[in-house]
Amino acid sequence: MITYTFRRFLVALIVAVAALFAPTECFLISDSMCRMYAETTRFGEFSNRESSSFQVMPRFNEDDKMESPHLISGIMWNRRKILQQAATIATSSLLMPHLPATAASSVSSFVVPSPPSSPSTTWPLGKVAFSLLPLAGTSTRRATVEETIIPDTMWTHDQIQGIVNVNVPVRMTTIRLKDGGLWVHNPVAPTPQLLHMMKCLEEKYGPVKHIVLGTVALEHKATFGPFCQKFPQATVWVQPGQWSFPLDLPIDALGVTQKGKQFRELPVPGKRATNSVFRASEKYGLPEWMDEIDYEVLGPLEFESVGAFSETAFFHKATKTLLVTDTVVSVDKNPPPIIQEDPRALLFHARDNITEIVADTPENRQRGWRRMVQFGLVFFPSQITVVPATEALKEASKIDPSMKNLGDGAVPLNLYPWAWDGNSDERNFEAISENGALFCPPILTKLILDREPQKTLEWVDRVTQRFAALKRIVPCHLNNYIPATAKDFSRAFEPLRSTPTNLRPQRPLAEDLSLLQEASDLLTDLKIVGPSLVCDGEAARKVGRFASQR
Ligand SMILES: *[C@@H]1O[C@H](CO)[C@@H](O)[C@H](O)[C@H]1NC(C)=O
């Protein structure tokens, strides 16, 4: 009983955290750790409700002596050892994600070398800004890839964000204004490397004049204030309806030091500013850059309990380019440049199981990317088999030396508590990718926007009518500079138009959506969000390991 409730709680927690921070498969890692913890504390067996591959763990007897060994899944353990192990995992994952376990050992024997750590790619503030979660690019290395999207006009800077090696690009976009100077959208972490790149652009095209935050999502907010502090002369524009997790901190908690006329909320016609600080600066009027870059604000869509979703689409008229944060993405089989910059995470996921040795080939990088994307978008891909915790630990000690650095700084103890079955997941990836056709991520269509489909679709219509000429889209994640029309943009939101008589399928296969479906039902039950107003055919409730058969 306890374990079932606990499991449901875990699902809710993970999805809530994932929605706020980054797509993750930390569910599995934390699940493994919880199982080990449960063993050591005799909290009871985990029941095997959803997946036949979960093993019922042997329990410890109260009379057992601390030092007496027990046989679990073929390995010898004693309780102290397991406790130590659990403590190590907890520590390494929560407090010291940068565990240099293999850093000093024979570097040359690795299939891909660990990149040297350099002050130019570190951002020490990251750990605080993102809380203590072991996110890639917080206390670990955080490199930047610059791409010139349109020569002399538009650039993107990609860094990675992720958890336990499920990494996705996080992207900022810089536009050169007509009269000189730069306009920056959703800035990433101001590492020395990024600041150097910005300095080069400023020398050529003029200073950073405006910095714009077009979202309330934490992963973009956390880097916003620190970036703005490096450009004190710039005017700062923020998305209406800011809030902070876990506390509803005042707007100043963003870390922005600009004040008065330099610190503004994006004005929405016919609406007052959402915060008293910004009501005072309303008198300064519309943004100076509006004749070049127009915008449409979605939300804030308030959740039932705490928080809101809100995002702005910006349209750069001269180049017919639309900038969004999370609402639409595109993905294909090629890993983006920032993900290939350090290919270790790709090869980490290219393995079918932890004992497999893989070579650094384009094919294996694509296989790793395919799986990373599935973890990132649906959290619990249907094609994985879960490996019981004790077995995962045992296997982790047998990992080939050439593969040992793949999880450094990201994955506690090199755990790989799942297995893939060759290329069986290709079909699932292709359903998500549709060769790079634009789509709205399922976490939004299943958990957030489906609570307000009307308001969302009205925003979609405003975007497509007012910016009908759009030719390219630059989102903040996954593929960059995507060729797309207004019609493609509108089509990305098809799942929100589903009715009982006209079902519009989600992009991932139903079997891959079962965790999100369970989370959706659960978050509704817990009154964290209202009920879904979109008829999804409920296919995801009937298939897959989380099928609840409601
Ligand atoms: C691991 O995966 C490889 C490649 O698919 C396979 O040959 C091997 O048998 C697997 N090992 C185990 C223990 O399942």
Side-chain angles (χ1 to χ4, degrees):
M1 223 26 234
I2 286 175
T3 54
Y4 178 61
T5 314
F6 181 63
R7 188 179 178 82
R8 300 260 293 174
F9 172 74
L10 205 63
V11 171
L13 189 72
I14 295 303
V15 171
V17 168
L20 288 161
F21 290 90
T24 83
E25 91 266 52
C26 68
F27 173 72
L28 269 185
I29 299 277
S30 54
D31 193 60
S32 279
M33 293 197 273
C34 288
R35 276 155 202 281
M36 285 178 226
Y37 181 72
E39 274 175 53
T40 64
T41 56
R42 249 174 293 123
F43 221 58
E45 320 83 300
F46 277 84
S47 64
N48 185 9
R49 199 178 82 83
E50 287 90 1
S51 165
S52 56
S53 62
F54 287 144
Q55 281 188 353
V56 175
M57 301 300 180
R59 303 171 85 182
F60 287 100
N61 189 320
E62 188 72 76
D63 301 330
D64 289 341
K65 295 230 166 61
M66 284 294 277
E67 305 302 327
S68 72
H70 296 261
L71 189 66
I72 303 168
S73 301
I75 34 165
M76 304 291 273
W77 285 102
N78 64 37
R79 187 187 298 174
R80 181 174 293 169
K81 238 187 195 165
I82 294 176
L83 277 171
Q84 279 168 353
Q85 210 70 77
T88 312
I89 294 166
T91 317
S92 62
S93 70
L94 293 176
L95 302 174
M96 301 190 297
H98 189 56
L99 204 68
T102 53
S105 62
S106 54
V107 173
S108 55
S109 70
F110 295 140
V111 165
V112 281
S114 304
S117 67
S118 141
S120 80
T121 54
T122 52
W123 187 51
L125 239 187
K127 209 158 135 186
V128 181
F130 288 103
S131 84
L132 290 174
L133 285 174
L135 298 173
T138 53
S139 61
T140 56
R141 207 171 145 268
R142 195 172 177 102
T144 306
V145 167
E146 179 179 276
E147 286 183 74
T148 300
I149 295 300
I150 303 168
D152 296 322
T153 306
M154 197 180 292
W155 304 263
T156 56
H157 294 87
D158 283 21
Q159 296 178 352
I160 58 164
Q161 92 189 8
I163 206 165
V164 290
N165 257 348
V166 173
N167 298 332
V168 293
V170 56
R171 180 172 301 132
M172 90 178 196
T173 307
T174 301
I175 295 177
R176 176 200 189 178
L177 295 169
K178 276 200 310 249
D179 299 329
L182 303 171
W183 182 97
V184 176
H185 176 246
N186 287 358
V188 291
T191 58
Q193 185 188 20
L194 175 69
L195 291 173
H196 175 74
M197 290 167 168
M198 292 310 290
K199 194 154 171 267
C200 294
L201 290 179
E202 284 189 306
E203 274 165 12
K204 230 170 147 188
Y205 304 105
V208 170
K209 283 187 178 165
H210 298 278
I211 309 171
V212 181
L213 179 65
T215 175
V216 294
L218 187 70
E219 70 268 26
H220 306 281
K221 243 155 71 168
T223 51
F224 184 72
F227 184 93
C228 293
Q229 286 174 22
K230 300 287 181 185
F231 299 91
Q233 306 308 316
T235 299
V236 165
W237 301 87
V238 304
Q239 179 72 17
Q242 292 295 338
W243 61 288
S244 299
F245 178 83
L247 300 169
D248 211 356
L249 297 170
I251 190 75
D252 319 11
L254 278 175
V256 174
T257 48
Q258 279 86 340
K259 290 198 163 52
K261 194 176 178 180
Q262 268 188 289
F263 187 35
R264 322 256 286 269
E265 189 174 77
L266 289 167
V268 180
K271 280 194 192 172
R272 297 232 53 196
T274 59
N275 177 301
S276 59
V277 175
F278 297 128
R279 268 177 228 132
S281 57
E282 270 177 337
K283 58 175 178 281
Y284 302 118
L286 295 172
E288 298 83 317
W289 37 266
M290 254 193 89
D291 59 331
E292 289 175 70
I293 303 166
D294 204 346
Y295 61 91
E296 271 296 339
V297 176
L298 166 63
L301 310 174
E302 306 277 344
F303 299 149
E304 205 94 316
S305 56
V306 62
F309 179 86
S310 171
E311 178 167 325
T312 296
F314 296 91
F315 185 60
H316 185 233
K317 298 177 192 174
T319 63
K320 303 183 170 62
T321 307
L322 190 76
L323 309 186
V324 296
T325 305
D326 295 318
T327 43
V328 290
V329 290
S330 148
V331 64
D332 62 37
K333 62 182 174 41
N334 301 309
I338 185 65
I339 303 289
Q340 304 212 43
E341 190 266 347
D342 175 5
R344 288 178 301 156
L346 291 171
L347 295 183
F348 178 89
H349 290 285
R351 300 170 301 168
D352 280 355
N353 52 57
I354 193 166
T355 47
E356 194 183 357
I357 301 169
V358 289
D360 184 14
T361 62
E363 193 192 24
N364 281 336
R365 288 190 183 193
Q366 287 182 357
R367 177 179 292 124
W369 177 236
R370 185 172 91 204
R371 293 166 175 179
M372 224 189 255
V373 166
Q374 291 175 71
F375 270 125
L377 288 173
V378 305
F379 309 103
F380 211 132
S382 60
Q383 297 305 308
I384 58 169
T385 306
V386 175
V387 175
T390 42
E391 203 162 302
L393 250 189
K394 185 180 70 176
E395 287 185 343
S397 64
K398 291 194 311 199
I399 184 171
D400 190 83
S402 69
M403 298 273 103
K404 262 192 173 162
N405 67 334
L406 298 182
D408 270 2
V411 185
L413 300 174
N414 276 315
L415 278 178
Y416 198 78
W418 58 83
W420 294 89
D421 179 18
N423 287 334
S424 72
D425 64 301
E426 243 169 356
R427 174 177 158 264
N428 305 70
F429 175 80
E430 278 160 14
I432 293 171
S433 158
E434 260 182 34
N435 291 321
L438 216 57
F439 68 107
C440 179
I443 182 112
L444 294 181
T445 55
K446 291 296 285 181
L447 291 184
I448 295 171
L449 301 180
D450 61 330
R451 271 63 191 181
E452 296 274 12
Q454 207 55 45
K455 280 186 193 159
T456 306
L457 292 171
E458 281 165 16
W459 171 77
V460 170
D461 288 345
R462 290 199 303 275
V463 169
T464 53
Q465 280 158 22
R466 296 196 49 226
F467 313 142
L470 82 90
K471 280 191 164 153
R472 296 273 183 170
I473 298 184
V474 179
C476 289
H477 304 287
L478 303 173
N479 282 3
N480 196 359
Y481 201 47
I482 308 153
T485 62
K487 208 170 171 182
D488 297 329
F489 180 81
S490 179
R491 208 180 288 136
F493 297 88
E494 275 303 280
L496 298 181
R497 301 188 180 97
S498 252
T499 65
T501 51
N502 190 1
L503 291 177
R504 316 281 177 105
Q506 300 274 341
R507 202 48 101 58
L509 299 176
E511 67 204 56
D512 283 317
L513 282 172
S514 49
L515 176 69
L516 278 174
Q517 182 62 58
E518 171 154 327
S520 167
D521 293 339
L522 188 61
L523 294 177
T524 307
D525 291 350
L526 296 175
K527 296 198 168 23
I528 291 170
V529 295
S532 175
L533 300 180
V534 171
C535 176
D536 54 12
E538 298 166 358
R541 295 204 180 102
K542 299 189 185 90
V543 296
R545 53 162 62 86
F546 289 97
S548 57
Q549 306 290 352
R550 286 179 186 228

